[in-house]
Amino acid sequence: MGVVVENRVWEPSPWIYLFMFLGCFFSITLCSRHSKSLCPFDRSSSSFLRFHRKFLFLFSLASLMEGLWSIFGEFELLHYGLTKRQIVSSLCIGYGVSLFFGPLLGMLSDLIGHKKVCLVFCILHLVVGLWKKIVLRPGPGVWLTTVCLSLAMSIFTFSFEGWVVVENDKEGHRQDALSDTFWLMTLVESAALIGSQVLANWLVGNNLENGISSTSTATIILAIIGIICLSREWKEAPQTASSKDYSVSYALIFSDKRMWLLGLAHASLQFSVAVFWILWAPTLVADGREVNLGLIYPCLMGARMLGSTIFPWLLSVPLPVRMEDCLVYAFIIVGFALSTVAYDYQEVGFLVALFCLFHMAVGLITPSLARLRTMHVPNELRGGMIGLSLTPANAAVLFFLLKRGGYQNIENSTMMAFAVLGLFLAAGCMQLLKQWGKQPYQNWHKL
């Protein structure tokens, strides 16, 4: 009996992109009409509009810079002749740098000001762009690039969020406006990542050598624009707390179990997202069928955008459950979705549907955790808290990279299974946070 091998390249239906776009559009429009207090286009405050427009513009620039490397980086390394083992080594170096210096950068951001650290973010990308223009072959430049981009990724995780929270509090804007900013940040970031993919494809074209050089030029231009905007815009309020006061506050803060629960939930989410992006491509091509990954990536980001538009509905529509309950359900659902992937289900269409569900949940969970941090974490300690919460996630990813890439004694499905366990652990943290959140909350801002 003959075996017929299917040679057709699997691609998502064009209707999926239209569904994502219309879903985001109608979700935002209907929510704006349903609740004026949560409308992101509320014109009742001109200072509100000016502040958020400028910040979201800067955040979109930062997301574009992050996306140009995250989307195009591995292809660039392969083009210059690096082996898979060398690429894994660069990933290990990156996560190792984030593991040891991420928490320190978070604390530094709290002490000297988030705006200054965001400026360092742009400078790091500028250094990477200039270095890639000068050194165009594998060697020590690869490790310098990895270190700079890992530090920039850590800064991107906490400094922009910490900056917008501090500025919102300083300007006296309402907390609902801050909640709007959180989900708009997720929406803008996802859209910018799609835009970075389009930009990279356009710059590369049919000439790889000139295209790769052009992406470095684009990074340099974006970084310079970011540096100029950051230097000219808001004058950040001076930090009044000394390093001694900061350490005393941290000692008191971390006696609160709710801080630990929030940090552990955030770490579990970041770990599962990191494992996903490491394994999603090998999982889709595991059955030998050719898959156009470049067309699937916008689907994932579109799902993340759609998930972020669900967040304002949770705040505007009266619900019989709290935010923590919604997160419990979201973590459990996405945990079961990834558990199917862990068992290597080989139907590509079904896997893509599960991946979209995962990113839709991430789009909802990310602003929800940011809102909970606003409720429980003092503004002056926010960067350090987020940086410390990333430590277990970076340590776990580094461990699995060494086991899988270095020693080849762990399977992809095992890594995915641990990501699932992390999501279930995060659901348990949210359940405990709901119970302990009923206790009287001490105002740590008075420390």
Side-chain angles (χ1 to χ4, degrees):
M1 183 176 180
V3 177
V4 178
V5 179
E6 184 178 1
N7 293 322
R8 183 176 62 87
V9 178
W10 192 93
E11 296 180 354
S13 171
W15 291 102
I16 296 178
Y17 307 113
L18 182 62
F19 170 77
M20 298 290 184
F21 173 78
L22 293 178
C24 293
F25 176 78
F26 284 114
S27 180
I28 295 174
T29 303
L30 293 175
C31 183
S32 300
R33 293 179 178 179
H34 179 81
S35 176
K36 294 183 179 180
S37 62
L38 289 174
C39 175
F41 311 109
D42 184 10
R43 301 183 182 273
S44 60
S45 173
S46 59
S47 62
F48 170 85
L49 283 175
R50 287 195 302 269
F51 170 76
H52 284 78
R53 283 172 179 171
K54 292 176 182 178
F55 174 79
L56 290 175
F57 172 73
L58 289 171
F59 187 71
S60 64
L61 285 180
S63 301
L64 277 172
M65 287 186 276
E66 285 289 296
L68 281 176
W69 173 256
S70 63
I71 293 170
F72 195 64
E74 183 177 354
F75 175 79
E76 181 179 347
L77 295 178
L78 288 173
H79 173 71
Y80 284 137
L82 268 72
T83 63
K84 289 288 186 180
R85 182 175 290 273
Q86 288 174 318
I87 294 176
V88 171
S89 298
S90 68
L91 284 175
C92 291
I93 291 174
Y95 278 103
V97 169
S98 299
L99 173 63
F100 291 105
F101 293 100
L104 297 178
L105 284 173
M107 297 177 185
L108 183 66
S109 183
D110 289 327
L111 287 172
I112 70 174
H114 299 288
K115 176 184 173 180
K116 296 183 179 68
V117 179
C118 290
L119 188 61
V120 173
F121 168 87
C122 294
I123 294 173
L124 287 171
H125 276 281
L126 178 62
V127 170
V128 170
L130 292 173
W131 184 260
K132 287 164 64 178
K133 294 285 286 186
I134 298 171
V135 182
L136 297 178
R137 289 292 181 267
V142 174
W143 315 129
L144 176 63
T145 298
T146 300
V147 170
C148 291
L149 290 174
S150 299
L151 295 176
M153 175 69 78
S154 298
I155 293 173
F156 182 80
T157 305
F158 50 75
S159 285
F160 284 94
E161 179 184 317
W163 184 23
V164 74
V165 169
V166 171
E167 288 294 328
N168 189 87
D169 185 63
K170 183 183 73 174
E171 296 293 332
H173 297 310
R174 63 187 189 277
Q175 290 299 311
D176 287 343
L178 187 58
S179 298
D180 282 336
T181 306
F182 290 147
W183 72 265
L184 283 171
M185 286 173 65
T186 305
L187 184 78
V188 167
E189 180 189 356
S190 303
L193 290 175
I194 297 176
S196 64
Q197 181 192 28
V198 175
L199 178 61
N201 289 333
W202 176 70
L203 291 173
V204 172
N206 297 322
N207 191 325
L208 291 180
E209 290 295 337
N210 293 336
I212 291 175
S213 178
S214 298
T215 57
S216 301
T217 303
T219 301
I220 293 171
I221 294 173
L222 291 172
I224 292 175
I225 295 174
I227 291 172
I228 294 174
C229 292
L230 283 166
S231 301
R232 295 181 58 185
E233 290 303 329
W234 306 292
K235 293 182 179 180
E236 193 171 28
Q239 305 299 311
T240 57
S242 64
S243 57
K244 182 178 180 180
D245 295 335
Y246 187 80
S247 60
V248 171
S249 299
Y250 249 107
L252 294 174
I253 281 294
F254 278 88
S255 63
D256 189 343
K257 296 180 181 178
R258 287 165 289 192
M259 297 280 289
W260 288 95
L261 293 176
L262 274 175
L264 188 56
H266 185 238
S268 300
L269 176 66
Q270 293 297 318
F271 171 69
S272 64
V273 170
V275 169
F276 173 85
W277 285 117
I278 293 173
L279 299 180
W280 78 287
T283 302
L284 288 177
V285 301
D287 63 346
R289 197 171 357 167
E290 188 175 353
V291 179
N292 195 330
L293 299 177
L295 294 178
I296 296 176
Y297 182 83
C299 294
L300 304 181
M301 292 298 100
R304 192 164 179 254
M305 294 172 65
L306 185 58
S308 67
T309 63
I310 300 175
F311 175 76
W313 284 97
L314 298 181
L315 301 180
S316 61
V317 179
L319 295 175
V321 295
R322 296 172 53 179
M323 179 69 68
E324 293 88 339
D325 291 310
C326 297
L327 287 177
V328 170
Y329 302 144
F331 277 121
I332 290 176
I333 291 173
V334 76
F336 279 115
L338 280 193
S339 65
T340 306
V341 180
Y343 283 102
D344 290 334
Y345 191 92
Q346 298 298 337
E347 175 56 40
V348 177
F350 186 70
L351 285 176
V352 172
L354 292 177
F355 290 169
C356 288
L357 177 62
F358 172 77
H359 278 83
M360 188 179 297
V362 171
L364 170 63
I365 292 170
T366 301
S368 301
L369 287 178
R371 177 177 170 83
L372 289 177
R373 281 193 290 269
T374 303
M375 295 168 58
H376 297 286
V377 182
N379 294 345
E380 58 270 19
L381 302 177
R382 194 182 190 99
M385 183 268 178
I386 299 176
L388 286 174
S389 69
L390 293 176
T391 300
N394 291 327
V397 174
L398 179 60
F399 171 78
F400 282 111
L401 281 175
L402 292 173
K403 296 286 286 182
R404 177 58 177 164
Y407 300 100
Q408 299 290 328
N409 56 2
I410 192 172
E411 298 297 329
N412 291 346
S413 58
T414 304
M415 294 176 60
M416 193 69 75
F418 274 96
V420 172
L421 290 177
L423 293 170
F424 289 146
L425 176 62
C429 290
M430 291 297 100
Q431 182 63 31
L432 290 175
L433 182 66
K434 173 192 171 183
Q435 297 175 0
W436 290 340
K438 297 178 181 179
Q439 303 171 5
Y441 174 62
Q442 181 179 356
N443 188 355
W444 295 108
H445 294 272
K446 296 179 181 180
L447 294 175

